[in-house]
Amino acid sequence: MSSRAESVEVLDASVQEEWKAVAGTGAAGLASSYVLCNAVLGLAQTGVAARLSREWKPLADLIPPGAYTELARNVLRFVGVRGLVESRGDSWRLTPDGAALFGEVPEAVMGYYTEAYGPVLRNIEGLLTGRLRYGADVARNTEALGRRCEVLFRSVGMNVVRDLVGKYQAKRVLDLGCGTGGLVLDLCREDPQLRAVGLDIAEDAVALGSKRAAEEGLDDRASFVVGDAFAPQDWPEAARECDLFIAVGAVHEHFRDGEAAVVELLRAYSDLLASKPGSVLVLAEPELFTDAEDADFFLVHALTEQGFPQPREPWLKVIEAAGLTCRRVLSVPNTMFRFAYYEITAGAAAR
């Protein structure tokens, strides 16, 4: 004899009211976005995302050797519920939304915050209470930051730099704070006549850049040297010989010590430009606005105790105070990171 259990809804007024309020906070959506972001990055980091396409592929062809097959299947089921993949038996393919989200630039945006700044964001409690100090107990993932910023800058500012290299007919370019070396390699890859140098204070970054150049057969024109972007008087000769100098998102950190510190640094750059007639400095700097669009960017700068990126007026003020001329301020609208590109030459502007 079979029996059927009675189904009873327990409608407790206080519970219903509580969860109605929770639903209104958007907390579930925030948590859901966090989970999805990590799932997407996990599939990218394991290589599954790169193997997915708009064509059907069996699971065995998507996962790396030795992978936990059932878990991989369940992660794909999860992103399938979110509309990023679809299945037919045990074959999988990307939906149009999935093909877009698993692109290189969206992945870099997510990785910028969750991977590069994840160690910092996960330790807000310790930083706020003073139990931890940034730089001593907590640090951003600089290797991940370099990789993610390389992709992001290529998508936002590479065309601007390319045009300036052509405008000034630059033969040797220096990238200050080169990170993983992407800008140097991109320029040399595109122009067989160009030589470029990447300078970074981190020895491991310089080693990685050199390795990449050798692997691509570009090491006869793309080189990497250890040096402090803020101490041009100590740069190796290979760096000082260049005629176009690029600093991407680095110099604003000096605003931490006030405008006078930025002026002093720019004066050192001014001396270098003056010694090389026709040379130009390109400062590619984010403009930080404390609005909803830039709130995340603001927070990671606050947590890492960096000098805040500045809007244009403070930049133009310190450029002029350093005896330099800003010929143009270029920008690329409708991008996530609002950069300004200051095209700077030696000598004060005529009045």
Side-chain angles (χ1 to χ4, degrees):
M1 180 177 176
S2 63
S3 63
R4 184 175 180 180
E6 181 183 5
S7 178
V8 180
E9 285 189 341
V10 181
L11 294 175
D12 185 302
S14 63
V15 171
Q16 295 301 307
E17 192 64 28
E18 173 86 19
W19 280 94
K20 181 179 179 181
V22 170
T25 67
L30 290 172
S32 184
S33 294
Y34 174 78
V35 174
L36 179 60
C37 184
N38 280 281
V40 168
L41 286 176
L43 290 172
Q45 290 161 348
T46 56
V48 174
R51 297 183 184 97
L52 282 164
S53 72
R54 295 286 288 134
E55 303 298 324
W56 291 109
K57 291 186 180 180
L59 181 65
D61 291 348
L62 295 173
I63 60 177
Y68 184 179
T69 302
E70 185 58 24
L71 181 56
R73 183 181 292 114
N74 284 331
V75 174
L76 287 171
R77 284 173 176 163
F78 166 76
V79 295
V81 170
R82 296 303 185 83
L84 303 183
V85 301
E86 54 190 357
S87 62
R88 185 177 65 185
D90 209 18
S91 291
W92 304 80
R93 70 178 181 184
L94 291 169
T95 65
D97 286 346
L101 187 62
F102 280 108
E104 185 180 43
V105 177
E107 182 190 332
V109 170
M110 290 183 284
Y112 180 86
Y113 288 106
T114 63
E115 186 182 9
Y117 281 99
V120 180
L121 291 165
R122 287 193 295 271
N123 282 289
I124 290 179
E125 176 273 332
L127 294 168
L128 279 176
T129 59
R131 180 173 57 83
L132 302 174
R133 291 290 296 178
Y134 180 76
D137 309 300
V138 179
R140 60 190 179 181
N141 183 331
T142 54
E143 188 273 335
L145 182 65
R147 284 189 291 105
R148 300 312 188 183
C149 286
E150 179 178 319
V151 172
L152 293 170
F153 187 77
R154 186 179 293 130
S155 72
V156 173
M158 191 60 195
N159 286 344
V160 174
V161 170
R162 187 183 293 111
D163 290 346
L164 288 169
V165 169
K167 175 184 176 180
Y168 287 95
Q169 298 183 329
K171 302 302 181 186
R172 295 182 67 92
V173 175
L174 174 65
D175 180 16
L176 300 168
C178 63
T180 53
L183 178 58
V184 167
L185 297 173
D186 284 348
L187 289 172
C188 288
R189 196 182 295 119
E190 295 173 6
D191 184 352
Q193 305 304 314
L194 187 72
R195 293 180 178 273
V197 179
L199 180 142
D200 203 289
I201 200 167
E203 293 185 9
D204 55 347
V206 170
L208 177 58
S210 299
K211 179 175 181 289
R212 294 178 69 189
E215 289 173 346
E216 291 196 42
L218 296 171
D219 48 340
D220 59 330
R221 294 184 295 110
S223 59
F224 295 86
V225 297
V226 175
D228 186 347
F230 300 153
Q233 67 278 5
D234 297 329
W235 290 350
E237 191 59 33
R240 299 178 64 85
E241 290 174 349
C242 296
D243 50 14
L244 191 144
F245 304 88
I246 304 172
V248 179
V251 179
H252 70 262
E253 293 191 18
H254 259 44
F255 276 107
R256 173 181 50 210
D257 301 318
E259 289 186 358
V262 184
V263 171
E264 182 180 357
L265 174 61
L266 292 181
R267 280 180 179 154
Y269 290 159
S270 177
D271 292 341
L272 181 62
L273 294 177
S275 69
K276 297 186 68 62
S279 59
V280 62
L281 168 65
V282 180
L283 289 181
E285 284 288 347
E287 295 188 273
L288 180 63
F289 302 91
T290 50
D291 58 13
E293 186 177 344
D294 267 1
D296 300 335
F297 197 54
F298 167 79
L299 181 61
V300 296
H301 277 79
L303 292 171
T304 53
E305 300 183 18
Q306 301 176 63
F308 288 111
Q310 300 291 317
R312 298 183 191 190
E313 286 309 312
W315 273 113
L316 294 173
K317 180 180 176 181
V318 297
I319 290 168
E320 182 178 13
L324 291 163
T325 296
C326 181
R327 295 184 177 275
R328 296 188 300 172
V329 183
L330 308 171
S331 61
V332 181
N334 306 317
T335 58
M336 180 175 175
F337 296 94
R338 294 180 277 187
F339 266 77
Y341 303 81
Y342 301 88
E343 184 181 334
I344 300 169
T345 57
R351 294 185 178 275

